[in-house]
Amino acid sequence: SSNDLKSVLSYLKKNRSSSNISYFGKAKGKNVFIFHLESFQQFLINYKVDGKEVTPNINKFYSDSNTLSFDNFFNQVGQGKTSDAETMLENSLFGLPSGSVMTQYGTSNTFQALPAILDQKGYSTAAFHGDVGSFWNRDNTYKSWGYQYFFDDDYYKQKTDYSVGYGLKDKIFLKQATKYIQQLPQPFYAKLITVTNHYPYELDKQNQSIAKTTTGDKTVDGYVQTAHYLDQAFGEFISYLKKSGLYNNSMIVVYGDHYGISNNHKKAIAQLLGKKSVSSYDLAMFQKVPFMIHLNGLKGGVNHTYGGEIDVMPTLEDLLGIDSSNMIQLGNDLLSENRNQTVAFRDGDYVSPTYSKIGSKVYDSSGNLINNLTTEQKKQVNSMQSHTDKVLSLSDKIVTGDLLRFYTPSGFKKVNKSDYSYKYVDG
Ligand code: GP9
Ligand code: MN
């Protein structure tokens, strides 16, 4: 209702953090790549098996002097998994308490997504994925989000051994995607969704080039092997970008969408981390995923701010020089100086640099359980909880009430879904 919209707008007015003037517009007019690392967790960065780096190319990228990396960046997905990550990244709205925004509302709702915003600023916009276009209702949702092109599996040459699990193997997918990337008018916004590093982490023999881990947990031990393959695919793609010159005039954003190893595998997780056992706090920290931004001339380094997927869109807008102060977005710029660092999980738990609430328990920043909260601690914890509850419930209102249909920010044109068609036409 319009009252719900009012409460959203008044919340945002008080709580949206401002952009950072030393970063604002640094990537203005550049091409943008969003490189989706499937099921890729932060612990893989610089992780070794038998003394061998699992992800040498991603590690190098992480530490590059022109890469801004975040080491307290959390996935915030719910049941919608990849689709929740996409929804957060490109709309700064959360997934739902159950189900998926893209599946349930992607076709019908009004959105003001990043591709649409950039389209209206003269960008061409394209998504690439080696699975069927209908998975997670992408083929409809992407129209609502303003994607001009969606290169789904129909656009790539298929052979029997080209695919594993959900779709084309990453190396084959990325290699074929370059053919379309080459033709995109610049500046462009291109999202590439990989898939090989997906449960159950299967890979053909000739692509296995690192040993499995030896926890004895069958669903866990192949994970580093497909992650290693994904890393090689990433490395090949970066080489292509360098060769084609795109590396120097693009902002390259790389992120992991969600955990690859679920909390059902506590014993194996403890072994991977070299611990005797893992606490609920350790498992919450295990939800960290990479978030990195590479841009020629950008002052890189590891930023320790606490944030998550909901914060990506305002961060990218800041770098792209887009004023988003009148947009309905629930995250806040990771580069902002006075941002709220409470990271909401979809189940109502949260983590922060001071206290974290997991289940019914509160932990300090070293992971110690706090049994009796002081009055001052109680005050802080309550305020972080109410922030968490508030952003989640506002997001649910926006999505389930389709509130964005009642609010068009000045300077933004409502997306017309019938402008788009993604059908592959041969020849
Ligand atoms: C399939 C892929 C997998 O197209 O994106 O989604 P997930 O199972 O990770 O949510
Ligand atoms: Mn996924």
PDB file of all heavy atoms in Angstrom, residues 351-377:
ATOM      1  N   VAL A 351      25.734 -10.503  11.927  1.00  0.00           N
ATOM      2  CA  VAL A 351      27.124 -10.397  12.380  1.00  0.00           C
ATOM      3  C   VAL A 351      27.538  -8.935  12.273  1.00  0.00           C
ATOM      4  O   VAL A 351      26.967  -8.175  11.494  1.00  0.00           O
ATOM      5  CB  VAL A 351      28.087 -11.286  11.547  1.00  0.00           C
ATOM      6  CG1 VAL A 351      27.821 -12.762  11.790  1.00  0.00           C
ATOM      7  CG2 VAL A 351      27.971 -10.970  10.059  1.00  0.00           C
ATOM      8  N   SER A 352      28.519  -8.551  13.061  1.00  0.00           N
ATOM      9  CA  SER A 352      29.014  -7.175  13.032  1.00  0.00           C
ATOM     10  C   SER A 352      30.421  -7.162  13.608  1.00  0.00           C
ATOM     11  O   SER A 352      30.869  -8.155  14.182  1.00  0.00           O
ATOM     12  CB  SER A 352      28.087  -6.254  13.841  1.00  0.00           C
ATOM     13  OG  SER A 352      28.529  -6.175  15.183  1.00  0.00           O
ATOM     14  N   PRO A 353      31.145  -6.048  13.491  1.00  0.00           N
ATOM     15  CA  PRO A 353      32.509  -5.998  14.050  1.00  0.00           C
ATOM     16  C   PRO A 353      32.515  -6.043  15.578  1.00  0.00           C
ATOM     17  O   PRO A 353      33.558  -6.304  16.174  1.00  0.00           O
ATOM     18  CB  PRO A 353      33.041  -4.646  13.570  1.00  0.00           C
ATOM     19  CG  PRO A 353      32.109  -4.182  12.521  1.00  0.00           C
ATOM     20  CD  PRO A 353      30.793  -4.829  12.759  1.00  0.00           C
ATOM     21  N   THR A 354      31.383  -5.792  16.209  1.00  0.00           N
ATOM     22  CA  THR A 354      31.359  -5.849  17.677  1.00  0.00           C
ATOM     23  C   THR A 354      30.681  -7.121  18.169  1.00  0.00           C
ATOM     24  O   THR A 354      31.341  -8.038  18.654  1.00  0.00           O
ATOM     25  CB  THR A 354      30.647  -4.617  18.262  1.00  0.00           C
ATOM     26  OG1 THR A 354      29.363  -4.469  17.640  1.00  0.00           O
ATOM     27  CG2 THR A 354      31.481  -3.366  18.060  1.00  0.00           C
ATOM     28  N   TYR A 355      29.380  -7.211  17.992  1.00  0.00           N
ATOM     29  CA  TYR A 355      28.649  -8.391  18.450  1.00  0.00           C
ATOM     30  C   TYR A 355      27.961  -9.072  17.282  1.00  0.00           C
ATOM     31  O   TYR A 355      27.623  -8.435  16.292  1.00  0.00           O
ATOM     32  CB  TYR A 355      27.612  -7.994  19.509  1.00  0.00           C
ATOM     33  CG  TYR A 355      28.249  -7.257  20.664  1.00  0.00           C
ATOM     34  CD1 TYR A 355      28.066  -5.889  20.835  1.00  0.00           C
ATOM     35  CD2 TYR A 355      29.088  -7.929  21.560  1.00  0.00           C
ATOM     36  CE1 TYR A 355      28.696  -5.210  21.866  1.00  0.00           C
ATOM     37  CE2 TYR A 355      29.731  -7.259  22.584  1.00  0.00           C
ATOM     38  CZ  TYR A 355      29.533  -5.896  22.734  1.00  0.00           C
ATOM     39  OH  TYR A 355      30.159  -5.239  23.749  1.00  0.00           O
ATOM     40  N   SER A 356      27.776 -10.365  17.445  1.00  0.00           N
ATOM     41  CA  SER A 356      27.073 -11.135  16.427  1.00  0.00           C
ATOM     42  C   SER A 356      26.036 -11.995  17.121  1.00  0.00           C
ATOM     43  O   SER A 356      26.297 -12.552  18.198  1.00  0.00           O
ATOM     44  CB  SER A 356      28.045 -12.039  15.659  1.00  0.00           C
ATOM     45  OG  SER A 356      29.022 -11.250  15.002  1.00  0.00           O
ATOM     46  N   LYS A 357      24.861 -12.097  16.544  1.00  0.00           N
ATOM     47  CA  LYS A 357      23.817 -12.940  17.121  1.00  0.00           C
ATOM     48  C   LYS A 357      23.552 -14.119  16.194  1.00  0.00           C
ATOM     49  O   LYS A 357      23.184 -13.951  15.041  1.00  0.00           O
ATOM     50  CB  LYS A 357      22.526 -12.151  17.331  1.00  0.00           C
ATOM     51  CG  LYS A 357      21.599 -12.812  18.306  1.00  0.00           C
ATOM     52  CD  LYS A 357      20.270 -13.354  17.827  1.00  0.00           C
ATOM     53  CE  LYS A 357      19.808 -13.087  16.455  1.00  0.00           C
ATOM     54  NZ  LYS A 357      18.429 -13.425  16.172  1.00  0.00           N
ATOM     55  N   ILE A 358      23.814 -15.313  16.707  1.00  0.00           N
ATOM     56  CA  ILE A 358      23.597 -16.525  15.921  1.00  0.00           C
ATOM     57  C   ILE A 358      22.635 -17.403  16.704  1.00  0.00           C
ATOM     58  O   ILE A 358      22.942 -17.800  17.829  1.00  0.00           O
ATOM     59  CB  ILE A 358      24.910 -17.315  15.702  1.00  0.00           C
ATOM     60  CG1 ILE A 358      26.117 -16.394  15.492  1.00  0.00           C
ATOM     61  CG2 ILE A 358      24.745 -18.331  14.576  1.00  0.00           C
ATOM     62  CD1 ILE A 358      26.135 -15.623  14.211  1.00  0.00           C
ATOM     63  N   GLY A 359      21.501 -17.732  16.113  1.00  0.00           N
ATOM     64  CA  GLY A 359      20.480 -18.470  16.856  1.00  0.00           C
ATOM     65  C   GLY A 359      20.014 -17.601  17.998  1.00  0.00           C
ATOM     66  O   GLY A 359      19.640 -16.453  17.805  1.00  0.00           O
ATOM     67  N   SER A 360      20.101 -18.117  19.232  1.00  0.00           N
ATOM     68  CA  SER A 360      19.685 -17.288  20.364  1.00  0.00           C
ATOM     69  C   SER A 360      20.896 -16.751  21.114  1.00  0.00           C
ATOM     70  O   SER A 360      20.782 -16.161  22.171  1.00  0.00           O
ATOM     71  CB  SER A 360      18.811 -18.129  21.302  1.00  0.00           C
ATOM     72  OG  SER A 360      19.532 -19.296  21.644  1.00  0.00           O
ATOM     73  N   LYS A 361      22.097 -16.968  20.537  1.00  0.00           N
ATOM     74  CA  LYS A 361      23.316 -16.630  21.282  1.00  0.00           C
ATOM     75  C   LYS A 361      24.030 -15.408  20.729  1.00  0.00           C
ATOM     76  O   LYS A 361      24.049 -15.172  19.529  1.00  0.00           O
ATOM     77  CB  LYS A 361      24.268 -17.819  21.269  1.00  0.00           C
ATOM     78  CG  LYS A 361      23.694 -19.011  22.034  1.00  0.00           C
ATOM     79  CD  LYS A 361      24.628 -20.188  21.975  1.00  0.00           C
ATOM     80  CE  LYS A 361      24.094 -21.332  22.834  1.00  0.00           C
ATOM     81  NZ  LYS A 361      24.197 -22.619  22.138  1.00  0.00           N
ATOM     82  N   VAL A 362      24.651 -14.679  21.658  1.00  0.00           N
ATOM     83  CA  VAL A 362      25.414 -13.498  21.262  1.00  0.00           C
ATOM     84  C   VAL A 362      26.902 -13.764  21.467  1.00  0.00           C
ATOM     85  O   VAL A 362      27.312 -14.316  22.490  1.00  0.00           O
ATOM     86  CB  VAL A 362      24.974 -12.260  22.079  1.00  0.00           C
ATOM     87  CG1 VAL A 362      25.832 -11.048  21.732  1.00  0.00           C
ATOM     88  CG2 VAL A 362      23.501 -11.961  21.841  1.00  0.00           C
ATOM     89  N   TYR A 363      27.704 -13.403  20.486  1.00  0.00           N
ATOM     90  CA  TYR A 363      29.156 -13.602  20.535  1.00  0.00           C
ATOM     91  C   TYR A 363      29.874 -12.266  20.413  1.00  0.00           C
ATOM     92  O   TYR A 363      29.382 -11.340  19.765  1.00  0.00           O
ATOM     93  CB  TYR A 363      29.618 -14.499  19.381  1.00  0.00           C
ATOM     94  CG  TYR A 363      29.051 -15.903  19.431  1.00  0.00           C
ATOM     95  CD1 TYR A 363      27.780 -16.168  18.923  1.00  0.00           C
ATOM     96  CD2 TYR A 363      29.777 -16.949  19.999  1.00  0.00           C
ATOM     97  CE1 TYR A 363      27.254 -17.458  18.975  1.00  0.00           C
ATOM     98  CE2 TYR A 363      29.259 -18.236  20.055  1.00  0.00           C
ATOM     99  CZ  TYR A 363      27.995 -18.484  19.544  1.00  0.00           C
ATOM    100  OH  TYR A 363      27.474 -19.752  19.591  1.00  0.00           O
ATOM    101  N   ASP A 364      31.049 -12.179  21.010  1.00  0.00           N
ATOM    102  CA  ASP A 364      31.861 -10.984  20.795  1.00  0.00           C
ATOM    103  C   ASP A 364      32.684 -11.167  19.517  1.00  0.00           C
ATOM    104  O   ASP A 364      32.591 -12.200  18.851  1.00  0.00           O
ATOM    105  CB  ASP A 364      32.736 -10.664  22.021  1.00  0.00           C
ATOM    106  CG  ASP A 364      33.858 -11.673  22.235  1.00  0.00           C
ATOM    107  OD1 ASP A 364      34.151 -12.469  21.312  1.00  0.00           O
ATOM    108  OD2 ASP A 364      34.455 -11.663  23.327  1.00  0.00           O
ATOM    109  N   SER A 365      33.523 -10.173  19.200  1.00  0.00           N
ATOM    110  CA  SER A 365      34.195 -10.197  17.908  1.00  0.00           C
ATOM    111  C   SER A 365      35.290 -11.259  17.819  1.00  0.00           C
ATOM    112  O   SER A 365      35.808 -11.533  16.740  1.00  0.00           O
ATOM    113  CB  SER A 365      34.779  -8.822  17.603  1.00  0.00           C
ATOM    114  OG  SER A 365      35.645  -8.445  18.647  1.00  0.00           O
ATOM    115  N   SER A 366      35.641 -11.873  18.960  1.00  0.00           N
ATOM    116  CA  SER A 366      36.605 -12.976  18.886  1.00  0.00           C
ATOM    117  C   SER A 366      35.902 -14.320  18.898  1.00  0.00           C
ATOM    118  O   SER A 366      36.553 -15.370  18.970  1.00  0.00           O
ATOM    119  CB  SER A 366      37.583 -12.935  20.063  1.00  0.00           C
ATOM    120  OG  SER A 366      37.994 -11.634  20.325  1.00  0.00           O
ATOM    121  N   GLY A 367      34.581 -14.270  18.864  1.00  0.00           N
ATOM    122  CA  GLY A 367      33.839 -15.523  18.823  1.00  0.00           C
ATOM    123  C   GLY A 367      33.555 -16.125  20.188  1.00  0.00           C
ATOM    124  O   GLY A 367      33.143 -17.275  20.292  1.00  0.00           O
ATOM    125  N   ASN A 368      33.800 -15.338  21.243  1.00  0.00           N
ATOM    126  CA  ASN A 368      33.470 -15.825  22.582  1.00  0.00           C
ATOM    127  C   ASN A 368      31.986 -15.648  22.864  1.00  0.00           C
ATOM    128  O   ASN A 368      31.426 -14.577  22.610  1.00  0.00           O
ATOM    129  CB  ASN A 368      34.266 -15.078  23.652  1.00  0.00           C
ATOM    130  CG  ASN A 368      35.755 -15.239  23.447  1.00  0.00           C
ATOM    131  OD1 ASN A 368      36.252 -16.356  23.317  1.00  0.00           O
ATOM    132  ND2 ASN A 368      36.466 -14.119  23.374  1.00  0.00           N
ATOM    133  N   LEU A 369      31.387 -16.679  23.408  1.00  0.00           N
ATOM    134  CA  LEU A 369      29.982 -16.615  23.774  1.00  0.00           C
ATOM    135  C   LEU A 369      29.816 -15.676  24.972  1.00  0.00           C
ATOM    136  O   LEU A 369      30.568 -15.758  25.943  1.00  0.00           O
ATOM    137  CB  LEU A 369      29.520 -18.027  24.148  1.00  0.00           C
ATOM    138  CG  LEU A 369      28.056 -18.228  24.521  1.00  0.00           C
ATOM    139  CD1 LEU A 369      27.147 -17.914  23.343  1.00  0.00           C
ATOM    140  CD2 LEU A 369      27.847 -19.669  24.993  1.00  0.00           C
ATOM    141  N   ILE A 370      28.852 -14.755  24.865  1.00  0.00           N
ATOM    142  CA  ILE A 370      28.584 -13.870  25.998  1.00  0.00           C
ATOM    143  C   ILE A 370      27.332 -14.376  26.708  1.00  0.00           C
ATOM    144  O   ILE A 370      26.247 -14.398  26.126  1.00  0.00           O
ATOM    145  CB  ILE A 370      28.367 -12.417  25.552  1.00  0.00           C
ATOM    146  CG1 ILE A 370      29.528 -11.948  24.661  1.00  0.00           C
ATOM    147  CG2 ILE A 370      28.254 -11.492  26.772  1.00  0.00           C
ATOM    148  CD1 ILE A 370      29.373 -10.543  24.149  1.00  0.00           C
ATOM    149  N   ASN A 371      27.503 -14.796  27.936  1.00  0.00           N
ATOM    150  CA  ASN A 371      26.359 -15.380  28.640  1.00  0.00           C
ATOM    151  C   ASN A 371      25.461 -14.325  29.264  1.00  0.00           C
ATOM    152  O   ASN A 371      24.243 -14.403  29.168  1.00  0.00           O
ATOM    153  CB  ASN A 371      26.831 -16.382  29.693  1.00  0.00           C
ATOM    154  CG  ASN A 371      27.194 -17.702  29.032  1.00  0.00           C
ATOM    155  OD1 ASN A 371      26.416 -18.228  28.225  1.00  0.00           O
ATOM    156  ND2 ASN A 371      28.377 -18.210  29.326  1.00  0.00           N
ATOM    157  N   ASN A 372      26.080 -13.363  29.933  1.00  0.00           N
ATOM    158  CA  ASN A 372      25.263 -12.312  30.544  1.00  0.00           C
ATOM    159  C   ASN A 372      25.641 -10.954  29.979  1.00  0.00           C
ATOM    160  O   ASN A 372      26.733 -10.449  30.201  1.00  0.00           O
ATOM    161  CB  ASN A 372      25.462 -12.316  32.063  1.00  0.00           C
ATOM    162  CG  ASN A 372      24.943 -13.600  32.673  1.00  0.00           C
ATOM    163  OD1 ASN A 372      23.759 -13.917  32.514  1.00  0.00           O
ATOM    164  ND2 ASN A 372      25.826 -14.349  33.307  1.00  0.00           N
ATOM    165  N   LEU A 373      24.691 -10.384  29.244  1.00  0.00           N
ATOM    166  CA  LEU A 373      24.954  -9.097  28.622  1.00  0.00           C
ATOM    167  C   LEU A 373      24.834  -7.976  29.645  1.00  0.00           C
ATOM    168  O   LEU A 373      23.922  -7.972  30.462  1.00  0.00           O
ATOM    169  CB  LEU A 373      23.940  -8.845  27.499  1.00  0.00           C
ATOM    170  CG  LEU A 373      23.969  -9.794  26.295  1.00  0.00           C
ATOM    171  CD1 LEU A 373      22.734  -9.586  25.431  1.00  0.00           C
ATOM    172  CD2 LEU A 373      25.222  -9.577  25.472  1.00  0.00           C
ATOM    173  N   THR A 374      25.777  -7.036  29.596  1.00  0.00           N
ATOM    174  CA  THR A 374      25.644  -5.842  30.429  1.00  0.00           C
ATOM    175  C   THR A 374      24.536  -4.971  29.829  1.00  0.00           C
ATOM    176  O   THR A 374      24.109  -5.184  28.689  1.00  0.00           O
ATOM    177  CB  THR A 374      26.950  -5.025  30.427  1.00  0.00           C
ATOM    178  OG1 THR A 374      27.175  -4.536  29.089  1.00  0.00           O
ATOM    179  CG2 THR A 374      28.136  -5.864  30.872  1.00  0.00           C
ATOM    180  N   THR A 375      24.099  -3.977  30.592  1.00  0.00           N
ATOM    181  CA  THR A 375      23.040  -3.089  30.103  1.00  0.00           C
ATOM    182  C   THR A 375      23.469  -2.424  28.800  1.00  0.00           C
ATOM    183  O   THR A 375      22.689  -2.327  27.855  1.00  0.00           O
ATOM    184  CB  THR A 375      22.748  -1.992  31.157  1.00  0.00           C
ATOM    185  OG1 THR A 375      22.676  -2.640  32.428  1.00  0.00           O
ATOM    186  CG2 THR A 375      21.432  -1.296  30.874  1.00  0.00           C
ATOM    187  N   GLU A 376      24.718  -1.989  28.778  1.00  0.00           N
ATOM    188  CA  GLU A 376      25.224  -1.338  27.572  1.00  0.00           C
ATOM    189  C   GLU A 376      25.247  -2.305  26.377  1.00  0.00           C
ATOM    190  O   GLU A 376      24.848  -1.956  25.261  1.00  0.00           O
ATOM    191  CB  GLU A 376      26.639  -0.784  27.858  1.00  0.00           C
ATOM    192  CG  GLU A 376      27.329  -0.089  26.699  1.00  0.00           C
ATOM    193  CD  GLU A 376      26.483   0.985  25.991  1.00  0.00           C
ATOM    194  OE1 GLU A 376      25.657   1.646  26.671  1.00  0.00           O
ATOM    195  OE2 GLU A 376      26.651   1.134  24.756  1.00  0.00           O
ATOM    196  N   GLN A 377      25.710  -3.524  26.619  1.00  0.00           N
ATOM    197  CA  GLN A 377      25.721  -4.532  25.538  1.00  0.00           C
ATOM    198  C   GLN A 377      24.310  -4.817  25.047  1.00  0.00           C
ATOM    199  O   GLN A 377      24.063  -4.924  23.848  1.00  0.00           O
ATOM    200  CB  GLN A 377      26.368  -5.833  26.032  1.00  0.00           C
ATOM    201  CG  GLN A 377      27.883  -5.731  26.202  1.00  0.00           C
ATOM    202  CD  GLN A 377      28.474  -6.960  26.862  1.00  0.00           C
ATOM    203  OE1 GLN A 377      27.835  -7.610  27.698  1.00  0.00           O
ATOM    204  NE2 GLN A 377      29.716  -7.275  26.511  1.00  0.00           N
TER     205      GLN A 377
END
